């Protein structure tokens, strides 16, 4: 190992340690914030794997198995109580961030080697330029991972690791002394990425396709792509075979199709599909309708989980067809500009929309051509992933890893015509601006960590569970006589149900109506609804933010939460 390489590694270790420390307030603030509905499904899957068999992770065609498998290992080793469960999982999420940071360090190290061997030979002797690249790269990486949506208990941060490793290994094939081992490792990493999130299946094939179109110039050539494809198939085959056997058709996952139906196909989002539109096919497993006005759906069996309809949506949406509509697809592409999104998602969508205009400039086209394989792996591959998500749903947390990879590639291409001193100044300046932006984002998280209110509401946002409010709601249900194993119903379109998991109860029915539209039901109508729920064995009806019906005085508010309970 040369002295310069050793210096790179020391500075990367320091930068990674700084990131691990600075992200702690963000992690703490996230642990007090919204428990994303997806999180409850992943946690339920992990519980099923510990209680029954790990094989249950390979039968869910909507949620991928890798993240709940890690949660299950944590449960088995730590055995947290319900009250400590969230704390254990957020500590685990911080450890996942450390893993992601290590993978990013591998990417940066490979990136520096490629630059030194190709377009930036002065890196071999210019330590300042190396530090500038590290300053810029780690500052951008840290700022991206301060996005609160990446701290939901979901696999999005975990997926960053395979994305960084895949880009690093693909670039490594174009360095001296690359071998078949790097190709196989690339395929295995892409396969692991698919186990983390199903969309990686298609993104992996794009990267392997790049190796076919632009193979390394060594004795293996396009055989690198064949070896990578072999490794990918070895890692992905168990899940693909299991899901295909479970569904009696070939599939590598149904999350893309179902989300396309939600976000582009204009089908009722996140609900039970009862065959609302004949052009979308006939549901094979429609929820049972026990009341039509208002619509009451029951989904007790055969799916398990706290909220069965969200534990495995692929079961309830079996039989779905989504015809392609140019008009609906066009509307879907502009959705990020019309709906409520984070500022980072809006900025990303804005720049993605403007990016094709850059190709009109001949200097940009020359820079892209001059970038060689770096353009293909660090810009075109992330762009393909972004385009795929844009066709369905565009969200920053899905693309964070690809954005970081693309940022490194763009920086290398933009600074290619300049000398080493100018490159270092620009990178240091950009790194400083990113650090200031990070400090601005970090400030409210630090303030929140030292701000305590032992008397005010535990609910931060109406209708959204967080750890303290969920525990208070679970304890309130217990005081009202709801016991673990009981079954309840909820009113409205919300999927937030972590309080029910803590209480040990299942939500087996839902009044799928806008609460504001039905709160004025007459007393006879209210009695009819309550009797319908009681007849299927439901012990209580839960409403969020306000009592469900104005013509019913039986609602009980759980203190310091937005949960109202109507015992049946």
């Amino acid at each position: 190992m040369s002295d310069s390489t050793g210096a790179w590694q020391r500075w990367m270790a320091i930068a990674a340690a700084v990131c691990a420390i600075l992200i702690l307030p963000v992690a703490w603030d996230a642990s007090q914030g919204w428990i994303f509905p997806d999180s409850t499904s992943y946690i339920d899957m992990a519980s099923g794997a510990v209680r029954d068999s790990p094989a249950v992770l390979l039968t869910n065609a909507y949620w991928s198995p890798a993240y709940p498998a890690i949660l299950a290992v944590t449960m088995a080793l730590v055995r947290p109580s319900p009250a400590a469960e969230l704390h254990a999982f957020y500590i685990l999420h911080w450890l996942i961030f450390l893993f992601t940071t290590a993978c990013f360090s591998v990417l940066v190290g490979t990136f520096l080697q490629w630059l030194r061997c190709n377009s930036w030979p002065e890196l071999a002797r210019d330590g300042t330029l190396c530090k500038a690249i590290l300053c810029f790269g780690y500052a951008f990486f840290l700022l991206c991972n301060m996005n609160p949506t990446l701290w939901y208990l979901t696999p999005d941060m975990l997926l960053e690791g395979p994305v960084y490793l895949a880009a690093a290994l693909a670039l490594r094939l174009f360095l001296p002394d690359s071998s078949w081992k790097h190709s196989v490792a690339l395929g295995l990493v892409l396969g692991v990425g698919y186990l983390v999130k199903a969309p990686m299946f298609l993104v992996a094939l794009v990267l392997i396709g790049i190796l076919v179109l632009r193979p390394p110039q060594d004795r293996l050539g396009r055989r690198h792509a064949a070896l990578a494809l072999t490794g990918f198939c070895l890692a992905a085959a168990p899940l693909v075979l299991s899901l295909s056997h479970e569904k009696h058709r070939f599939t590598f996952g149904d999350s893309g199709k179902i989300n396309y139906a939600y976000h582009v196909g204009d089908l009722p989002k996140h609900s039970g599909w009862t065959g609302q539109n004949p052009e979308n096919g006939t549901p094979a497993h429609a929820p049972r309708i026990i009341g039509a006005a208002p619509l009451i759906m029951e989904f007790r069996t055969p799916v398990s989980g706290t909220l069965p309809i969200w534990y495995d949506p692929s079961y309830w949406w079996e039989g779905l067809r989504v015809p392609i509509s140019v008009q609906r697809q066009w509307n879907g592409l502009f959705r990020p500009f019309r709906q409520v999104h984070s500022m980072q998602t809006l900025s990303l969508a804005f720049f993605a929309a403007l990016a094709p205009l850059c190709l009109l400039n001949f200097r940009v086209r020359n820079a892209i051509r001059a970038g060689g394989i770096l353009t293909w792996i660090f810009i075109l591959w992330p762009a393909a992933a972004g385009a795929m998500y844009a066709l369905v749903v565009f969200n920053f947390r899905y693309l964070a890893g690809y954005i970081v990879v693309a940022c490194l590639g763009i920086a290398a291409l933009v600074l290619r015509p300049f000398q080493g001193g100018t490159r270092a100044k620009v990178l240091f300046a950009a790194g400083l601006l990113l650090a200031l932006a990070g400090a601005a984002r970090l400030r409210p998280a630090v303030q929140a960590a030292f701000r305590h209110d032992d008397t005010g509401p535990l609910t931060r946002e109406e209708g959204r569970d967080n750890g303290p409010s969920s525990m208070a709601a679970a304890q309130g249900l217990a005081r009202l006589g709801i016991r673990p194993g009981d079954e309840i119903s909820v009113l409205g379109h919300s999927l937030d149900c972590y309080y029910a998991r803590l209480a040990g109860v299942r939500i087996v029915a839902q009044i799928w109506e806008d609460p504001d539209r039905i709160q004025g039901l007459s007393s006879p109508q209210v009695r009819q609804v309550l009797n319908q729920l009681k007849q299927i064995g439901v012990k209580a009806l839960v409403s969020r933010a306000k009592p469900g019906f104005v013509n019913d005085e039986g609602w009980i508010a759980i203190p310091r939460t937005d949960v109202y309970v109507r015992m049946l």
Side-chain angles (χ1 to χ4, degrees):
M1 182 175 66
S2 66
D3 292 340
S4 61
T5 303
W8 294 356
Q9 293 177 348
R10 285 192 296 272
W11 282 108
M12 283 192 292
I14 293 172
V18 170
C19 289
I21 294 170
L22 290 180
I23 206 69
L24 285 172
V26 178
W28 168 259
D29 189 51
S31 70
Q32 304 302 302
W34 185 26
I35 303 173
F36 200 52
D38 299 11
S39 306
T40 306
S41 296
Y42 283 116
I43 296 171
D44 282 346
M45 288 177 65
S47 296
V50 173
R51 182 183 61 249
D52 302 323
S53 166
V56 302
L57 301 178
L58 299 178
T59 60
N60 194 314
Y62 193 83
W63 309 112
S64 297
Y67 185 69
I70 296 173
L71 296 179
V73 171
T74 303
M75 286 181 172
L77 294 177
V78 180
R79 299 185 182 278
S81 66
E85 183 179 73
L86 274 184
H87 298 296
F89 292 151
Y90 277 104
I91 291 172
L92 172 66
H93 214 66
W94 180 74
L95 295 176
I96 288 174
F97 174 77
L98 298 188
F99 162 75
T100 297
T101 307
C103 294
F104 177 70
S105 297
V106 173
L107 172 64
V108 171
T110 307
F111 179 67
L112 289 171
Q113 290 182 47
W114 190 89
L115 288 179
R116 186 177 64 176
C117 294
N118 291 272
S119 55
W120 295 20
E122 64 271 28
L123 278 170
R125 59 184 184 277
D126 190 348
T128 301
L129 181 56
C130 172
K131 294 174 186 175
I133 294 174
L134 296 180
C135 174
F136 170 76
Y138 280 92
F140 189 81
F141 165 78
L142 181 61
L143 180 62
C144 285
N145 281 280
M146 286 181 177
N147 186 297
T149 63
L150 283 169
W151 288 88
Y152 296 155
L153 295 178
T154 61
D156 299 294
M157 184 179 291
L158 180 62
L159 183 63
E160 287 187 63
V163 169
Y164 298 144
L165 288 180
L169 287 166
L171 193 63
R172 179 65 182 81
L173 296 177
F174 295 84
L175 288 172
D177 302 324
S178 65
S179 71
W180 64 270
K181 296 178 183 178
H182 298 104
S183 305
V184 174
L186 171 61
L188 293 174
V189 166
L190 290 171
V192 170
Y194 160 63
L195 298 180
V196 176
K197 292 201 75 172
M200 189 67 173
F201 190 96
L202 298 178
V203 179
L205 296 180
V206 171
L207 185 56
I208 294 172
I210 287 175
L211 296 181
V212 174
L213 295 175
R214 290 291 186 273
Q217 301 301 310
D218 61 8
R219 59 184 180 84
L220 289 177
R222 286 188 171 84
R223 281 177 288 180
H224 282 295
L227 290 168
L229 181 61
T230 301
F232 175 70
C233 291
L234 287 174
L239 179 58
V240 173
L241 293 175
S242 176
L243 294 180
S244 299
H245 178 266
E246 182 75 15
K247 297 297 182 181
H248 306 291
R249 54 183 169 81
F250 173 79
T251 180
F252 59 86
D254 289 347
S255 60
K257 178 175 67 174
I258 296 174
N259 275 285
Y260 191 87
Y262 291 161
H263 299 284
V264 180
D266 294 332
L267 286 173
K269 191 178 297 185
H270 308 143
S271 73
W273 178 43
T274 57
Q276 290 90 331
N277 193 336
E279 74 171 356
N280 295 115
T282 302
H285 310 126
R288 291 159 288 280
I289 297 177
I290 62 174
L295 177 62
I296 306 174
M297 296 187 296
E298 187 252 324
F299 33 77
R300 175 184 282 108
T301 57
V303 179
S304 60
T306 302
L307 182 60
I309 205 166
W310 197 233
Y311 178 83
D312 185 3
S314 68
Y315 174 84
W316 304 103
W317 288 78
E318 184 65 33
L320 174 70
R321 296 196 310 268
V322 189
I324 302 298
S325 166
V326 175
Q327 181 61 45
R328 286 200 294 256
Q329 186 63 76
W330 184 255
N331 292 336
L333 290 173
F334 286 91
R335 187 181 303 105
F337 302 102
R338 299 195 308 268
Q339 296 183 352
V340 176
H341 287 266
S342 71
M343 183 56 67
Q344 284 181 321
T345 297
L346 282 175
S347 301
L348 177 60
F350 177 75
F351 286 118
L354 292 182
L357 298 178
C358 297
L359 298 176
L360 298 177
N361 187 293
F362 78 95
R363 290 189 178 89
V364 173
R365 295 197 300 272
N366 288 340
I368 290 174
R369 284 194 292 266
I373 194 59
L374 192 71
T375 299
W376 285 84
I377 297 175
F378 277 59
I379 296 179
L380 294 182
W381 183 53
M388 181 191 71
Y389 277 105
L391 292 174
V392 184
V393 55
F394 202 78
N395 198 302
F396 178 84
R397 65 188 176 97
Y398 301 149
L399 295 168
Y402 302 105
I403 293 168
V404 172
V405 172
C407 181
L408 292 177
I410 292 170
L413 293 185
V414 169
L415 296 177
R416 183 184 178 91
F418 298 96
Q419 298 298 316
T422 303
R423 291 170 178 167
K425 292 176 183 177
V426 171
L427 289 169
F428 273 129
L432 178 60
L433 291 176
L434 292 169
L436 293 174
R441 297 208 64 165
L442 200 59
R443 182 181 177 184
V446 173
Q447 291 174 336
F450 291 96
R451 183 172 60 244
H452 299 282
D453 184 359
D454 296 328
T455 59
L458 296 174
T459 301
R460 287 187 173 188
E461 300 176 78
E462 285 188 355
R464 291 188 169 187
D465 292 339
N466 60 52
S469 71
S470 295
M471 180 55 68
Q475 293 170 346
L477 289 174
R479 288 193 298 269
L480 293 174
I482 303 295
R483 298 290 176 256
D486 286 346
E487 297 173 334
I488 66 173
S489 177
V490 296
L491 189 156
H493 299 164
S494 174
L495 298 173
D496 287 73
C497 61
Y498 188 70
Y499 68 92
R501 173 178 168 78
L502 291 181
V505 303
R506 299 179 72 226
I507 299 172
V508 300
Q510 196 158 4
I511 302 177
W512 199 263
E513 300 281 3
D514 181 353
D516 292 334
R517 195 180 72 82
I518 64 171
Q519 70 174 138
L521 291 179
S522 66
S523 295
Q525 289 174 312
V526 170
R527 285 195 297 271
Q528 179 184 0
V529 169
L530 299 181
N531 286 333
Q532 288 172 327
L533 293 173
K534 192 173 182 178
Q535 288 172 5
I536 63 171
V538 167
K539 296 292 184 66
L541 174 62
V542 172
S543 176
R544 306 300 291 265
K546 59 187 176 184
F549 309 118
V550 296
N551 293 314
D552 179 22
E553 298 180 354
W555 292 92
I556 302 170
I558 296 181
R560 303 184 66 193
T561 75
D562 67 341
V563 175
Y564 291 81
V565 182
R566 178 58 162 92
M567 300 298 295
L568 302 178

